[in-house]
Structure formats: C-alpha cells, structure tokens
Amino acid sequence: MFSNTQIKSFKKLQTPFYYYDLDLLSRTLNQIKEHGLSKGFHVHFAIKANFNFPILKLVKEAGLGIDCVSGKEIERAIEAGFKPNQIAFAGVGKTDEEILTGLRHNIFSFNCESLQELEILNELAFSCGKTANVSIRINPNVEANTHKYITTGLNENKFGITADKLPALFDLLPSFKALNLTGIHFHIGSQIRDLKPFADLCEKVNNLQDLFEQKGYQLEHINLGGGYGIDYETPDEEPVPDFKSFFDLFEHNLELREGQQVHFELGRSIVGQCGSLISKVLYIKEGIATNFAVIDAGMTELIRPALYQASHKVDVLTSSKPEKIYDVVGPICESSDTFQRGTLLPEIKRGDLVAIRSAGAYGEVMSSGFNLRERVKAYYSHKLENNNTGQ
Ligand SMILES: *Cc1c(COP(=O)(O)O)cnc(C)c1O
C-alpha cells in the first residue's frame, strides 16, 4: 500500500499523524460520479466524518453537497465553498442558534427529527420572516445489522419520528405556516456492508411515500441518508467501495415519482479508506500470551476501537522480518486503548513505523485532548510528494 518514497517521507515527520491519500479519494469520488450522480442522484458528503479543507475541496469539485449535524458544520461547509442549497442539516438536538444559522443561510433542508423540533423551527422561521424547507426524518424501524452504537433506524433509537407519530404529524403540519415540507429523510445506521437493510429501507420508503400522497403531500425529494460500509479487514482488496451495487439497488427498488429528486448522505464510504494514522513504536514488551507493541498513537487520536470495538488493519511499514504475535496498544491509561489483539505481524522493534489503516472517517475528527495530548497533525499525499510537509 505505501511506497518506499512515502515511507521515507514519513520517517522525517513527527509522529503520530494522519496521512490522506488524495488520489484514492479522487478515485472514490469518480465512482460516485459514475454510478450515482450520473443517474441524477444527489450525494451530500457527511462532513462530520472528516472536515479537513483539502478533503472538502475535492468533494466540492466532484459536485457533491454537504450533510451537517451542527451549526458549526454549516459554517464550515460555507467556508469551504459549498452553496447553501447543497446543505442538509440533521440532528436530534439542534439548538436555537444552530437553527438560526441554517435559516440565515437558507439551506436546502432541515431534516427534522421530532414534532417539537418542527414547532420550534416554525416559530424561529416565522420570527425571521422566512420559510424553512423541511424534510421529515422518519425512523423506519429497519435492522441495519451493524454495531449497536451506530444503529440509528430502530424504534429504540433516539433518531427520527416513529411511525406511530405520523397521524399527529399530519394533524400538525397545516398549522406550521413558516415550514415548507419538501421531503422525507432516513438514515438507518453506519458501516452497513450488506445491501439487505437498504432494500428493506426502500420498501418502507415506498409505503411511506404512498401515505404522504394520500394525505395530499407531493414530495420533491427523498433522502436515504448514508451508512454504506467499507472493508476494514482487507482495505487493499477493496480500496473503493462498490458504489455501483449500492446506487443500482436504489434505482431498482425505489418507486419514484416524475421529477422527484433522490438524495444520499455518505460519509465513511467516501473518506474512510483514504486516511491512515501513522505512528511510531515506542516499546516492545513481552507479555504472557502475546507481545505488546506500545505505539505513540492512542485512543486520543483514533477512538473507534475503544468506542465501537472497531478493528483497523495495522501495517508495519519498516520491517519484513518473520512474524510474531502482537497486541498493538496505545499509551493511554485505558485497557480499551488497543488497536489489535493477538495479531501476527512482522517482528517489530522500537522506532518502527506502523500505519493504522482505514482511518479517514471518524478518526481525526474524534480526536481528543485527553491526557493533554497535542492535536494530531494531518498531511496530504500531493504535498508530501512535493516535499512540502506543511498542513
Ligand atoms: C452520520 C450521518 C451520515 C453519514 O453516515 P456514514 O455512515 O458515514 O455514511 C448521514 N446522515 C446522517 C443524518 C448522519 O448522522
């Protein structure tokens, strides 16, 4: 995966740091263009997965919009050059200030998650003399078969409006004079590798669309959210997710109306594979059943293993010796601060470099200052190749 030239430039940099392969990001975006945008689908990048400007620049150039979950993300997207009419705004806990930020910019859509939020949005929009475009986030009660912390479309989850609230919604809607209902929105979870949940989602969407029409609402758009997964185990075998199968599924299963727009909000599947966390080995410690390789990156730089029991492939970049068994662990005082357990890796010594792969999504953005750790740095392939190692 990494060339000798890349590894040579890594050796000159202070670890740990994130490294982004922008060429891989471009290839990923090209697949989205070829299989998604070409069908007339609209794709919003979920900016929460990675908000670095060089990444946003390529996403914008590819013609994607943005999906936000905070007011600051709306501002970040505007700063990166996205147009307000490309911005969708979801989240169960939008503050009044965040709603006002969205209203000020006249964003494409507020994806509303509760009846009370609709009421507040209506009041705030009315008070600014605006009409807010609203998409109702519906919880479709679809099993996403993913980790329970990133399952969002079941009745027990906090997201969206459940089906039992729809009669109340239809009663209330006519009284919301400052709202313009433009669509319905869904997002069933993340790291969904199997297409079955998305097929189930299409079926629910088709039924709901009929229901909205019976109530007299023609929906301008359907927003299916994101959640498509990536190959964490063997990233080099599938560096770009199979977007053809993903978009084809929706094309074949959705019963769309004339002129109706289809929107997606993809995060992980766009940026996950292009990022790696590069770290240096500090100590090797022989354990009872394994050897511990203590590296200088921890859960403060990449919390996914500790938070979601996620497994990221670890590549040893500077050794090709025979393999031994290792637990690759960080320096933080938590036993969950472990990247790999009982894995065979080429023999490691102090000073070796490792790459923790598939860390481009929900990696750097979730880094923390726990233990007064320094904010982790980021480098990009095109700059490293030009020998410019600035951020
Ligand atoms: C996080 C999120 C997404 C993106 O999810 P991925 O799994 O990264 O594709 C899309 N829509 C909403 C509403 C989200 O909260």
Side-chain angles (χ1 to χ4, degrees):
M1 162 68 191
F2 295 101
S3 68
N4 287 335
T5 335
Q6 279 169 323
I7 296 167
K8 234 169 103 184
S9 35
F10 290 169
K11 283 184 184 160
K12 295 185 206 138
L13 299 170
Q14 201 194 323
T15 50
F17 60 86
Y18 273 90
Y19 172 76
Y20 295 100
D21 179 347
L22 296 184
D23 179 55
L24 176 56
L25 177 59
S26 293
R27 281 189 280 136
T28 306
L29 290 165
N30 282 337
Q31 289 295 299
I32 291 176
K33 282 203 252 182
E34 188 177 331
H35 301 293
L37 305 192
S38 67
K39 297 191 198 311
F41 291 166
H42 298 256
V43 179
H44 302 254
F45 170 57
I47 192 171
K48 74 172 186 281
N50 193 305
F51 46 60
N52 292 359
F53 284 113
I55 296 210
L56 296 179
K57 182 170 182 283
L58 289 183
V59 168
K60 183 172 84 74
E61 285 167 3
L64 277 68
I66 291 287
D67 163 54
C68 298
V69 290
S70 77
K72 290 272 185 227
E73 287 186 357
I74 297 176
E75 282 163 3
R76 183 82 162 195
I78 303 267
E79 197 183 336
F82 290 89
K83 299 202 181 65
N85 68 6
Q86 296 178 297
I87 298 177
F89 181 21
V92 284
K94 302 178 186 78
T95 65
D96 292 15
E97 290 72 24
E98 290 176 314
I99 290 176
L100 290 168
T101 301
L103 286 168
R104 198 164 51 246
H105 290 291
N106 295 315
I107 58 171
F108 160 69
S109 174
F110 286 87
N111 297 341
C112 287
E113 311 227 8
S114 67
L115 299 181
Q116 192 171 31
E117 184 192 334
L118 285 166
E119 217 172 287
I120 300 303
L121 176 60
N122 182 58
E123 278 169 26
L124 290 171
F126 186 78
S127 69
C128 334
K130 299 214 172 192
T131 309
N133 291 326
V134 168
S135 189
I136 309 288
R137 178 164 179 179
I138 301 174
N139 182 325
N141 198 26
V142 163
E143 176 54 71
N145 293 321
T146 183
H147 191 274
K148 69 176 194 300
Y149 288 2
I150 49 175
T151 296
T152 55
L154 285 175
N155 284 341
E156 69 208 55
N157 301 131
K158 67 180 175 181
F159 300 96
I161 293 174
T162 45
D164 61 304
K165 300 290 180 307
L166 290 176
L169 171 76
F170 291 122
D171 286 344
L172 283 168
L173 272 177
S175 64
F176 296 144
K177 302 292 181 214
L179 303 185
N180 175 30
L181 179 72
T182 53
I184 48 177
H185 170 238
F186 306 84
H187 174 63
I188 58 172
S190 198
Q191 183 54 14
I192 303 167
R193 289 280 286 158
D194 166 19
L195 289 175
K196 172 75 169 47
F198 294 117
D200 294 345
L201 173 62
C202 288
E203 199 186 315
K204 299 270 172 144
V205 172
N206 294 336
N207 295 334
L208 284 162
Q209 161 118 279
D210 292 342
L211 179 66
F212 273 78
E213 281 182 354
Q214 281 165 22
K215 298 288 173 185
Y217 295 97
Q218 300 292 323
L219 303 168
E220 285 167 34
H221 74 259
I222 309 277
N223 184 336
L224 288 316
Y228 200 31
I230 60 170
D231 183 349
Y232 280 101
E233 279 124 66
T234 51
D236 292 324
E237 279 170 34
E238 199 189 315
V240 180
D242 178 4
F243 286 112
K244 183 177 186 312
S245 301
F246 179 76
F247 289 117
D248 281 356
L249 176 123
F250 289 96
E251 185 181 41
H252 296 142
N253 288 278
L254 283 176
E255 289 160 12
L256 296 174
R257 311 298 191 254
E258 186 76 28
Q260 197 163 49
Q261 290 181 9
V262 181
H263 292 252
F264 294 91
E265 304 164 337
L266 297 170
R268 187 190 310 273
S269 55
I270 298 178
V271 291
Q273 296 293 29
C274 77
S276 295
L277 176 59
I278 310 295
S279 177
K280 192 175 279 178
V281 178
L282 293 174
Y283 300 104
I284 300 294
K285 191 164 86 156
E286 273 178 37
I288 305 296
T290 185
N291 301 294
F292 294 99
V294 185
I295 64 175
D296 65 2
M299 62 192 284
T300 39
E301 286 68 46
L302 179 64
I303 201 173
R304 297 194 66 262
L307 189 58
Y308 310 116
Q309 296 155 315
S311 169
H312 289 254
K313 184 166 187 278
V314 173
D315 287 346
V316 182
L317 303 181
T318 45
S319 166
S320 49
K321 296 203 195 99
E323 290 181 331
K324 291 176 78 170
I325 196 156
Y326 291 98
D327 279 20
V328 179
V329 302
I332 310 298
C333 193
E334 294 267 351
S335 293
S336 63
D337 186 30
T338 295
F339 293 103
Q340 280 292 341
R341 287 179 211 275
T343 304
L344 281 172
L345 292 169
E347 186 177 344
I348 308 176
K349 61 179 187 318
R350 175 176 161 88
D352 272 331
L353 284 179
V354 299
I356 301 167
R357 304 287 306 280
S358 316
Y362 310 111
E364 190 184 346
V365 285
M366 290 178 108
S367 61
S368 79
F370 186 39
N371 291 192
L372 277 179
R373 299 271 288 180
E374 257 181 59
R375 179 104 173 77
V376 65
K377 289 193 184 61
Y379 297 97
Y380 301 89
S381 49
H382 64 298
K383 291 204 174 157
L384 270 193
E385 275 148 29
N386 298 335
N387 238 352
N388 171 358
T389 54
Q391 284 222 52

PDB file of all heavy atoms in Angstrom, residues 278-310:
ATOM      1  N   ILE A 278      -0.497   7.270  11.120  1.00  0.00           N
ATOM      2  CA  ILE A 278       0.890   6.778  11.117  1.00  0.00           C
ATOM      3  C   ILE A 278       1.488   7.000  12.510  1.00  0.00           C
ATOM      4  O   ILE A 278       1.382   8.093  13.058  1.00  0.00           O
ATOM      5  CB  ILE A 278       1.753   7.523  10.064  1.00  0.00           C
ATOM      6  CG1 ILE A 278       1.057   7.547   8.691  1.00  0.00           C
ATOM      7  CG2 ILE A 278       3.147   6.907   9.980  1.00  0.00           C
ATOM      8  CD1 ILE A 278       0.874   6.205   8.015  1.00  0.00           C
ATOM      9  N   SER A 279       2.100   5.953  13.047  1.00  0.00           N
ATOM     10  CA  SER A 279       2.571   6.014  14.425  1.00  0.00           C
ATOM     11  C   SER A 279       3.904   5.289  14.565  1.00  0.00           C
ATOM     12  O   SER A 279       4.241   4.420  13.754  1.00  0.00           O
ATOM     13  CB  SER A 279       1.511   5.368  15.326  1.00  0.00           C
ATOM     14  OG  SER A 279       1.933   5.340  16.663  1.00  0.00           O
ATOM     15  N   LYS A 280       4.640   5.666  15.598  1.00  0.00           N
ATOM     16  CA  LYS A 280       5.955   5.059  15.823  1.00  0.00           C
ATOM     17  C   LYS A 280       5.876   4.117  17.032  1.00  0.00           C
ATOM     18  O   LYS A 280       5.152   4.405  17.987  1.00  0.00           O
ATOM     19  CB  LYS A 280       6.970   6.167  16.085  1.00  0.00           C
ATOM     20  CG  LYS A 280       8.407   5.706  16.058  1.00  0.00           C
ATOM     21  CD  LYS A 280       9.379   6.868  16.193  1.00  0.00           C
ATOM     22  CE  LYS A 280       9.577   7.583  14.861  1.00  0.00           C
ATOM     23  NZ  LYS A 280      10.477   8.746  14.965  1.00  0.00           N
ATOM     24  N   VAL A 281       6.624   3.035  16.974  1.00  0.00           N
ATOM     25  CA  VAL A 281       6.649   2.080  18.086  1.00  0.00           C
ATOM     26  C   VAL A 281       7.585   2.611  19.166  1.00  0.00           C
ATOM     27  O   VAL A 281       8.748   2.936  18.906  1.00  0.00           O
ATOM     28  CB  VAL A 281       7.116   0.689  17.598  1.00  0.00           C
ATOM     29  CG1 VAL A 281       7.194  -0.281  18.771  1.00  0.00           C
ATOM     30  CG2 VAL A 281       6.177   0.172  16.510  1.00  0.00           C
ATOM     31  N   LEU A 282       7.056   2.707  20.378  1.00  0.00           N
ATOM     32  CA  LEU A 282       7.853   3.226  21.492  1.00  0.00           C
ATOM     33  C   LEU A 282       8.557   2.100  22.249  1.00  0.00           C
ATOM     34  O   LEU A 282       9.736   2.191  22.566  1.00  0.00           O
ATOM     35  CB  LEU A 282       6.948   3.984  22.471  1.00  0.00           C
ATOM     36  CG  LEU A 282       6.327   5.278  21.950  1.00  0.00           C
ATOM     37  CD1 LEU A 282       5.340   5.826  22.975  1.00  0.00           C
ATOM     38  CD2 LEU A 282       7.404   6.309  21.653  1.00  0.00           C
ATOM     39  N   TYR A 283       7.800   1.059  22.566  1.00  0.00           N
ATOM     40  CA  TYR A 283       8.358  -0.031  23.369  1.00  0.00           C
ATOM     41  C   TYR A 283       7.801  -1.372  22.913  1.00  0.00           C
ATOM     42  O   TYR A 283       6.674  -1.443  22.420  1.00  0.00           O
ATOM     43  CB  TYR A 283       8.006   0.144  24.861  1.00  0.00           C
ATOM     44  CG  TYR A 283       8.539   1.430  25.421  1.00  0.00           C
ATOM     45  CD1 TYR A 283       7.682   2.505  25.638  1.00  0.00           C
ATOM     46  CD2 TYR A 283       9.891   1.584  25.710  1.00  0.00           C
ATOM     47  CE1 TYR A 283       8.158   3.708  26.125  1.00  0.00           C
ATOM     48  CE2 TYR A 283      10.384   2.782  26.200  1.00  0.00           C
ATOM     49  CZ  TYR A 283       9.513   3.842  26.412  1.00  0.00           C
ATOM     50  OH  TYR A 283       9.994   5.022  26.877  1.00  0.00           O
ATOM     51  N   ILE A 284       8.605  -2.393  23.118  1.00  0.00           N
ATOM     52  CA  ILE A 284       8.128  -3.768  22.927  1.00  0.00           C
ATOM     53  C   ILE A 284       8.195  -4.432  24.295  1.00  0.00           C
ATOM     54  O   ILE A 284       9.205  -4.333  24.992  1.00  0.00           O
ATOM     55  CB  ILE A 284       9.040  -4.546  21.948  1.00  0.00           C
ATOM     56  CG1 ILE A 284       9.084  -3.867  20.584  1.00  0.00           C
ATOM     57  CG2 ILE A 284       8.579  -5.998  21.841  1.00  0.00           C
ATOM     58  CD1 ILE A 284       7.773  -3.875  19.837  1.00  0.00           C
ATOM     59  N   LYS A 285       7.117  -5.058  24.663  1.00  0.00           N
ATOM     60  CA  LYS A 285       7.064  -5.671  25.978  1.00  0.00           C
ATOM     61  C   LYS A 285       6.554  -7.085  25.825  1.00  0.00           C
ATOM     62  O   LYS A 285       5.507  -7.298  25.214  1.00  0.00           O
ATOM     63  CB  LYS A 285       6.098  -4.841  26.831  1.00  0.00           C
ATOM     64  CG  LYS A 285       6.123  -5.161  28.270  1.00  0.00           C
ATOM     65  CD  LYS A 285       5.453  -4.054  29.064  1.00  0.00           C
ATOM     66  CE  LYS A 285       3.959  -4.262  29.154  1.00  0.00           C
ATOM     67  NZ  LYS A 285       3.376  -3.588  30.314  1.00  0.00           N
ATOM     68  N   GLU A 286       7.287  -8.051  26.343  1.00  0.00           N
ATOM     69  CA  GLU A 286       6.830  -9.441  26.251  1.00  0.00           C
ATOM     70  C   GLU A 286       5.743  -9.684  27.281  1.00  0.00           C
ATOM     71  O   GLU A 286       5.936  -9.432  28.462  1.00  0.00           O
ATOM     72  CB  GLU A 286       7.998 -10.400  26.500  1.00  0.00           C
ATOM     73  CG  GLU A 286       8.760 -10.710  25.238  1.00  0.00           C
ATOM     74  CD  GLU A 286       9.946 -11.616  25.493  1.00  0.00           C
ATOM     75  OE1 GLU A 286       9.831 -12.525  26.354  1.00  0.00           O
ATOM     76  OE2 GLU A 286      10.979 -11.412  24.839  1.00  0.00           O
ATOM     77  N   GLY A 287       4.599 -10.165  26.822  1.00  0.00           N
ATOM     78  CA  GLY A 287       3.529 -10.500  27.752  1.00  0.00           C
ATOM     79  C   GLY A 287       3.534 -11.992  27.990  1.00  0.00           C
ATOM     80  O   GLY A 287       4.473 -12.687  27.617  1.00  0.00           O
ATOM     81  N   ILE A 288       2.475 -12.530  28.608  1.00  0.00           N
ATOM     82  CA  ILE A 288       2.400 -13.961  28.867  1.00  0.00           C
ATOM     83  C   ILE A 288       2.030 -14.713  27.581  1.00  0.00           C
ATOM     84  O   ILE A 288       2.709 -15.624  27.164  1.00  0.00           O
ATOM     85  CB  ILE A 288       1.361 -14.270  29.984  1.00  0.00           C
ATOM     86  CG1 ILE A 288       1.683 -13.461  31.258  1.00  0.00           C
ATOM     87  CG2 ILE A 288       1.298 -15.764  30.279  1.00  0.00           C
ATOM     88  CD1 ILE A 288       2.999 -13.798  31.931  1.00  0.00           C
ATOM     89  N   ALA A 289       0.938 -14.244  26.926  1.00  0.00           N
ATOM     90  CA  ALA A 289       0.467 -14.959  25.740  1.00  0.00           C
ATOM     91  C   ALA A 289       0.742 -14.188  24.456  1.00  0.00           C
ATOM     92  O   ALA A 289       0.496 -14.679  23.359  1.00  0.00           O
ATOM     93  CB  ALA A 289      -1.027 -15.227  25.855  1.00  0.00           C
ATOM     94  N   THR A 290       1.236 -12.985  24.579  1.00  0.00           N
ATOM     95  CA  THR A 290       1.410 -12.134  23.411  1.00  0.00           C
ATOM     96  C   THR A 290       2.560 -11.168  23.679  1.00  0.00           C
ATOM     97  O   THR A 290       3.126 -11.151  24.773  1.00  0.00           O
ATOM     98  CB  THR A 290       0.098 -11.359  23.138  1.00  0.00           C
ATOM     99  OG1 THR A 290       0.231 -10.604  21.931  1.00  0.00           O
ATOM    100  CG2 THR A 290      -0.235 -10.374  24.255  1.00  0.00           C
ATOM    101  N   ASN A 291       2.919 -10.396  22.692  1.00  0.00           N
ATOM    102  CA  ASN A 291       3.894  -9.325  22.897  1.00  0.00           C
ATOM    103  C   ASN A 291       3.162  -8.014  22.718  1.00  0.00           C
ATOM    104  O   ASN A 291       2.313  -7.892  21.835  1.00  0.00           O
ATOM    105  CB  ASN A 291       5.007  -9.413  21.857  1.00  0.00           C
ATOM    106  CG  ASN A 291       5.730 -10.736  21.931  1.00  0.00           C
ATOM    107  OD1 ASN A 291       6.396 -11.037  22.911  1.00  0.00           O
ATOM    108  ND2 ASN A 291       5.568 -11.548  20.886  1.00  0.00           N
ATOM    109  N   PHE A 292       3.464  -7.042  23.538  1.00  0.00           N
ATOM    110  CA  PHE A 292       2.823  -5.745  23.393  1.00  0.00           C
ATOM    111  C   PHE A 292       3.726  -4.812  22.594  1.00  0.00           C
ATOM    112  O   PHE A 292       4.897  -4.651  22.930  1.00  0.00           O
ATOM    113  CB  PHE A 292       2.530  -5.114  24.758  1.00  0.00           C
ATOM    114  CG  PHE A 292       1.505  -5.878  25.550  1.00  0.00           C
ATOM    115  CD1 PHE A 292       1.899  -6.762  26.554  1.00  0.00           C
ATOM    116  CD2 PHE A 292       0.145  -5.737  25.272  1.00  0.00           C
ATOM    117  CE1 PHE A 292       0.957  -7.487  27.268  1.00  0.00           C
ATOM    118  CE2 PHE A 292      -0.801  -6.460  25.987  1.00  0.00           C
ATOM    119  CZ  PHE A 292      -0.391  -7.334  26.991  1.00  0.00           C
ATOM    120  N   ALA A 293       3.179  -4.260  21.529  1.00  0.00           N
ATOM    121  CA  ALA A 293       3.890  -3.195  20.817  1.00  0.00           C
ATOM    122  C   ALA A 293       3.198  -1.904  21.229  1.00  0.00           C
ATOM    123  O   ALA A 293       2.041  -1.675  20.889  1.00  0.00           O
ATOM    124  CB  ALA A 293       3.808  -3.401  19.310  1.00  0.00           C
ATOM    125  N   VAL A 294       3.892  -1.095  22.023  1.00  0.00           N
ATOM    126  CA  VAL A 294       3.308   0.155  22.518  1.00  0.00           C
ATOM    127  C   VAL A 294       3.667   1.256  21.530  1.00  0.00           C
ATOM    128  O   VAL A 294       4.857   1.522  21.295  1.00  0.00           O
ATOM    129  CB  VAL A 294       3.864   0.513  23.915  1.00  0.00           C
ATOM    130  CG1 VAL A 294       3.145   1.742  24.463  1.00  0.00           C
ATOM    131  CG2 VAL A 294       3.739  -0.664  24.873  1.00  0.00           C
ATOM    132  N   ILE A 295       2.653   1.854  20.936  1.00  0.00           N
ATOM    133  CA  ILE A 295       2.914   2.859  19.898  1.00  0.00           C
ATOM    134  C   ILE A 295       2.562   4.264  20.426  1.00  0.00           C
ATOM    135  O   ILE A 295       1.941   4.395  21.486  1.00  0.00           O
ATOM    136  CB  ILE A 295       2.136   2.542  18.598  1.00  0.00           C
ATOM    137  CG1 ILE A 295       0.620   2.618  18.818  1.00  0.00           C
ATOM    138  CG2 ILE A 295       2.517   1.160  18.075  1.00  0.00           C
ATOM    139  CD1 ILE A 295      -0.204   2.433  17.548  1.00  0.00           C
ATOM    140  N   ASP A 296       2.973   5.290  19.677  1.00  0.00           N
ATOM    141  CA  ASP A 296       2.778   6.654  20.194  1.00  0.00           C
ATOM    142  C   ASP A 296       1.432   7.261  19.782  1.00  0.00           C
ATOM    143  O   ASP A 296       1.190   8.439  20.030  1.00  0.00           O
ATOM    144  CB  ASP A 296       3.955   7.564  19.823  1.00  0.00           C
ATOM    145  CG  ASP A 296       4.102   7.814  18.334  1.00  0.00           C
ATOM    146  OD1 ASP A 296       3.271   7.313  17.544  1.00  0.00           O
ATOM    147  OD2 ASP A 296       5.055   8.521  17.948  1.00  0.00           O
ATOM    148  N   ALA A 297       0.558   6.477  19.152  1.00  0.00           N
ATOM    149  CA  ALA A 297      -0.814   6.932  18.893  1.00  0.00           C
ATOM    150  C   ALA A 297      -1.733   6.123  19.795  1.00  0.00           C
ATOM    151  O   ALA A 297      -1.461   4.951  20.068  1.00  0.00           O
ATOM    152  CB  ALA A 297      -1.204   6.703  17.437  1.00  0.00           C
ATOM    153  N   GLY A 298      -2.803   6.756  20.243  1.00  0.00           N
ATOM    154  CA  GLY A 298      -3.735   6.043  21.103  1.00  0.00           C
ATOM    155  C   GLY A 298      -5.169   6.387  20.791  1.00  0.00           C
ATOM    156  O   GLY A 298      -5.472   6.952  19.735  1.00  0.00           O
ATOM    157  N   MET A 299      -6.038   6.067  21.733  1.00  0.00           N
ATOM    158  CA  MET A 299      -7.467   6.351  21.540  1.00  0.00           C
ATOM    159  C   MET A 299      -7.728   7.859  21.444  1.00  0.00           C
ATOM    160  O   MET A 299      -8.783   8.275  20.979  1.00  0.00           O
ATOM    161  CB  MET A 299      -8.272   5.760  22.696  1.00  0.00           C
ATOM    162  CG  MET A 299      -7.918   6.351  24.030  1.00  0.00           C
ATOM    163  SD  MET A 299      -8.620   5.420  25.413  1.00  0.00           S
ATOM    164  CE  MET A 299     -10.309   5.953  25.339  1.00  0.00           C
ATOM    165  N   THR A 300      -6.758   8.662  21.869  1.00  0.00           N
ATOM    166  CA  THR A 300      -6.897  10.112  21.739  1.00  0.00           C
ATOM    167  C   THR A 300      -6.799  10.543  20.275  1.00  0.00           C
ATOM    168  O   THR A 300      -7.299  11.587  19.900  1.00  0.00           O
ATOM    169  CB  THR A 300      -5.793  10.807  22.555  1.00  0.00           C
ATOM    170  OG1 THR A 300      -4.585  10.057  22.407  1.00  0.00           O
ATOM    171  CG2 THR A 300      -6.157  10.866  24.029  1.00  0.00           C
ATOM    172  N   GLU A 301      -6.141   9.755  19.451  1.00  0.00           N
ATOM    173  CA  GLU A 301      -6.049  10.068  18.025  1.00  0.00           C
ATOM    174  C   GLU A 301      -7.083   9.290  17.224  1.00  0.00           C
ATOM    175  O   GLU A 301      -7.572   9.763  16.207  1.00  0.00           O
ATOM    176  CB  GLU A 301      -4.640   9.724  17.487  1.00  0.00           C
ATOM    177  CG  GLU A 301      -3.553  10.699  17.919  1.00  0.00           C
ATOM    178  CD  GLU A 301      -3.263  10.628  19.405  1.00  0.00           C
ATOM    179  OE1 GLU A 301      -3.131   9.509  19.925  1.00  0.00           O
ATOM    180  OE2 GLU A 301      -3.210  11.688  20.068  1.00  0.00           O
ATOM    181  N   LEU A 302      -7.394   8.063  17.666  1.00  0.00           N
ATOM    182  CA  LEU A 302      -8.371   7.218  16.950  1.00  0.00           C
ATOM    183  C   LEU A 302      -9.152   6.433  17.997  1.00  0.00           C
ATOM    184  O   LEU A 302      -8.661   5.442  18.535  1.00  0.00           O
ATOM    185  CB  LEU A 302      -7.643   6.266  15.986  1.00  0.00           C
ATOM    186  CG  LEU A 302      -8.537   5.322  15.184  1.00  0.00           C
ATOM    187  CD1 LEU A 302      -9.464   6.080  14.232  1.00  0.00           C
ATOM    188  CD2 LEU A 302      -7.694   4.338  14.378  1.00  0.00           C
ATOM    189  N   ILE A 303     -10.366   6.876  18.254  1.00  0.00           N
ATOM    190  CA  ILE A 303     -11.137   6.287  19.355  1.00  0.00           C
ATOM    191  C   ILE A 303     -12.007   5.110  18.919  1.00  0.00           C
ATOM    192  O   ILE A 303     -12.591   4.421  19.749  1.00  0.00           O
ATOM    193  CB  ILE A 303     -12.004   7.379  20.039  1.00  0.00           C
ATOM    194  CG1 ILE A 303     -12.388   6.933  21.461  1.00  0.00           C
ATOM    195  CG2 ILE A 303     -13.233   7.733  19.210  1.00  0.00           C
ATOM    196  CD1 ILE A 303     -13.089   7.998  22.275  1.00  0.00           C
ATOM    197  N   ARG A 304     -12.080   4.857  17.604  1.00  0.00           N
ATOM    198  CA  ARG A 304     -13.028   3.849  17.115  1.00  0.00           C
ATOM    199  C   ARG A 304     -12.871   2.453  17.753  1.00  0.00           C
ATOM    200  O   ARG A 304     -13.874   1.847  18.117  1.00  0.00           O
ATOM    201  CB  ARG A 304     -12.984   3.753  15.583  1.00  0.00           C
ATOM    202  CG  ARG A 304     -13.406   5.066  14.891  1.00  0.00           C
ATOM    203  CD  ARG A 304     -13.684   4.880  13.414  1.00  0.00           C
ATOM    204  NE  ARG A 304     -14.838   4.046  13.199  1.00  0.00           N
ATOM    205  CZ  ARG A 304     -14.809   2.766  12.936  1.00  0.00           C
ATOM    206  NH1 ARG A 304     -13.660   2.132  12.781  1.00  0.00           N
ATOM    207  NH2 ARG A 304     -15.928   2.098  12.795  1.00  0.00           N
ATOM    208  N   PRO A 305     -11.645   1.932  17.923  1.00  0.00           N
ATOM    209  CA  PRO A 305     -11.541   0.619  18.585  1.00  0.00           C
ATOM    210  C   PRO A 305     -12.115   0.649  20.007  1.00  0.00           C
ATOM    211  O   PRO A 305     -12.848  -0.255  20.399  1.00  0.00           O
ATOM    212  CB  PRO A 305     -10.033   0.348  18.588  1.00  0.00           C
ATOM    213  CG  PRO A 305      -9.519   1.131  17.415  1.00  0.00           C
ATOM    214  CD  PRO A 305     -10.345   2.393  17.393  1.00  0.00           C
ATOM    215  N   ALA A 306     -11.804   1.714  20.764  1.00  0.00           N
ATOM    216  CA  ALA A 306     -12.281   1.788  22.145  1.00  0.00           C
ATOM    217  C   ALA A 306     -13.788   2.017  22.210  1.00  0.00           C
ATOM    218  O   ALA A 306     -14.467   1.488  23.085  1.00  0.00           O
ATOM    219  CB  ALA A 306     -11.542   2.911  22.878  1.00  0.00           C
ATOM    220  N   LEU A 307     -14.311   2.787  21.285  1.00  0.00           N
ATOM    221  CA  LEU A 307     -15.725   3.173  21.350  1.00  0.00           C
ATOM    222  C   LEU A 307     -16.664   2.166  20.699  1.00  0.00           C
ATOM    223  O   LEU A 307     -17.754   1.923  21.203  1.00  0.00           O
ATOM    224  CB  LEU A 307     -15.877   4.548  20.674  1.00  0.00           C
ATOM    225  CG  LEU A 307     -17.221   5.261  20.791  1.00  0.00           C
ATOM    226  CD1 LEU A 307     -17.616   5.487  22.239  1.00  0.00           C
ATOM    227  CD2 LEU A 307     -17.168   6.608  20.056  1.00  0.00           C
ATOM    228  N   TYR A 308     -16.247   1.616  19.568  1.00  0.00           N
ATOM    229  CA  TYR A 308     -17.143   0.731  18.807  1.00  0.00           C
ATOM    230  C   TYR A 308     -16.593  -0.685  18.650  1.00  0.00           C
ATOM    231  O   TYR A 308     -17.076  -1.430  17.794  1.00  0.00           O
ATOM    232  CB  TYR A 308     -17.362   1.278  17.384  1.00  0.00           C
ATOM    233  CG  TYR A 308     -17.745   2.720  17.275  1.00  0.00           C
ATOM    234  CD1 TYR A 308     -16.900   3.630  16.639  1.00  0.00           C
ATOM    235  CD2 TYR A 308     -18.978   3.177  17.753  1.00  0.00           C
ATOM    236  CE1 TYR A 308     -17.257   4.963  16.495  1.00  0.00           C
ATOM    237  CE2 TYR A 308     -19.337   4.507  17.606  1.00  0.00           C
ATOM    238  CZ  TYR A 308     -18.484   5.391  16.987  1.00  0.00           C
ATOM    239  OH  TYR A 308     -18.837   6.704  16.835  1.00  0.00           O
ATOM    240  N   GLN A 309     -15.547  -1.027  19.416  1.00  0.00           N
ATOM    241  CA  GLN A 309     -14.876  -2.320  19.233  1.00  0.00           C
ATOM    242  C   GLN A 309     -14.483  -2.521  17.776  1.00  0.00           C
ATOM    243  O   GLN A 309     -14.544  -3.628  17.231  1.00  0.00           O
ATOM    244  CB  GLN A 309     -15.775  -3.469  19.707  1.00  0.00           C
ATOM    245  CG  GLN A 309     -16.049  -3.400  21.192  1.00  0.00           C
ATOM    246  CD  GLN A 309     -17.342  -4.081  21.584  1.00  0.00           C
ATOM    247  OE1 GLN A 309     -18.378  -3.911  20.948  1.00  0.00           O
ATOM    248  NE2 GLN A 309     -17.290  -4.855  22.650  1.00  0.00           N
ATOM    249  N   ALA A 310     -14.109  -1.429  17.127  1.00  0.00           N
ATOM    250  CA  ALA A 310     -13.749  -1.484  15.708  1.00  0.00           C
ATOM    251  C   ALA A 310     -12.350  -2.056  15.562  1.00  0.00           C
ATOM    252  O   ALA A 310     -11.505  -1.897  16.444  1.00  0.00           O
ATOM    253  CB  ALA A 310     -13.790  -0.089  15.107  1.00  0.00           C
TER     254      ALA A 310
END
